Amino acid sequence: MSLELTETVQGVVNGLSSDFSEDLIEVYNSCDHTYIRVEAENIKEILNYLKSKHHFIFLCDIIGTDRYTSDERFEVIYNIMNLRTQDRIFVKIRVEEEDPAVDSVTSVWKAAGWMEREVYDMYGVRFEGHPDLRRIYMPEDYEYYPLRKEFPLLGIPGSIELPNTTPDTE
């Protein structure tokens, strides 16, 4: 595995290798970015470690993906940045389709609240310990998750009331 990492990112990988060796699954580069996949069980501790020990203080985004596989179907990706060095890493975890849940990181970054709500609303991944986990785009009683791969491209007829698109003629 030949990786070209900056000194800061190499320090992160070395630190994770020694402090979280049981949780570190893989490290790879793609499109000039570093991806670190870890076990989901300790994501809050790992991200807190990266923030406090390696100065990755800026949470840019939390992204959900549907891998549409029978094993570890959903992926949650934390896009974090060290503002001193301008280094960016993506920390990835995977959760199962059956009862997809992971710990909330709102105690590490308050900004995670909105981002976790978006992932929950679109994919159905629950964030345990979130202070206000509710839908952000879809109605609260909506039964579906629109960014899951099995969701029909044209939506589910009758599942949500749509506005009238016929112009008023007066």
Side-chain angles (χ1 to χ4, degrees), residues 119-132:
V119 172
Y120 165 68
D121 197 12
M122 296 291 109
Y123 295 96
V125 176
R126 285 186 341 282
F127 291 87
E128 302 294 331
H130 190 284
D132 186 23

Side-chain angles (χ1 to χ4, degrees), residues 8-19:
T8 303
V9 175
Q10 186 62 57
V12 167
V13 172
N14 293 343
L16 287 172
S17 294
S18 64
D19 294 346

Side-chain angles (χ1 to χ4, degrees), residues 108-126:
V108 181
W109 291 285
K110 288 198 184 298
W114 289 92
M115 299 173 200
E116 289 176 349
R117 283 179 63 190
E118 182 178 29
V119 172
Y120 165 68
D121 197 12
M122 296 291 109
Y123 295 96
V125 176
R126 285 186 341 282

Side-chain angles (χ1 to χ4, degrees), residues 4-152:
E4 291 184 32
L5 303 175
T6 68
E7 188 175 309
T8 303
V9 175
Q10 186 62 57
V12 167
V13 172
N14 293 343
L16 287 172
S17 294
S18 64
D19 294 346
F20 294 95
S21 60
E22 299 285 319
D23 296 308
L24 188 61
I25 298 172
E26 70 178 326
V27 178
Y28 63 94
N29 269 1
S30 179
C31 300
D32 293 330
H33 292 296
T34 302
Y35 294 83
I36 301 172
R37 190 160 73 90
V38 298
E39 294 289 349
E41 290 77 31
N42 290 323
I43 188 62
K44 187 171 19 174
E45 291 80 11
I46 291 168
L47 290 175
N48 192 43
Y49 166 83
L50 293 174
K51 181 181 179 184
S52 60
K53 299 280 191 227
H54 294 282
H55 203 69
F56 281 82
I57 61 168
F58 182 47
L59 174 65
C60 305
D61 204 3
I62 299 176
I63 306 156
T65 61
D66 183 351
R67 300 175 58 240
Y68 206 49
T69 60
S70 58
D71 189 38
E72 297 180 320
R73 178 175 174 178
F74 300 106
E75 202 163 56
V76 179
I77 305 164
Y78 301 86
N79 175 1
I80 60 176
M81 190 171 187
N82 180 325
L83 296 177
R84 290 179 183 165
T85 63
Q86 299 297 301
D87 284 317
R88 175 188 309 264
I89 59 174
F90 295 86
V91 180
K92 300 168 72 169
I93 59 172
R94 292 182 180 165
V95 294
E96 298 294 335
E97 177 179 9
E98 208 54 46
D99 191 35
V102 65
D103 286 337
S104 172
V105 296
T106 54
S107 63
V108 181
W109 291 285
K110 288 198 184 298
W114 289 92
M115 299 173 200
E116 289 176 349
R117 283 179 63 190
E118 182 178 29
V119 172
Y120 165 68
D121 197 12
M122 296 291 109
Y123 295 96
V125 176
R126 285 186 341 282
F127 291 87
E128 302 294 331
H130 190 284
D132 186 23
L133 190 62
R134 58 191 162 102
R135 299 203 86 144
I136 195 168
Y137 299 120
M138 306 308 292
E140 266 307 307
D141 60 347
Y142 197 65
E143 302 173 24
Y144 309 101
Y145 301 102
L147 290 184
R148 286 188 176 187
K149 299 279 185 179
E150 77 271 5
F151 191 82

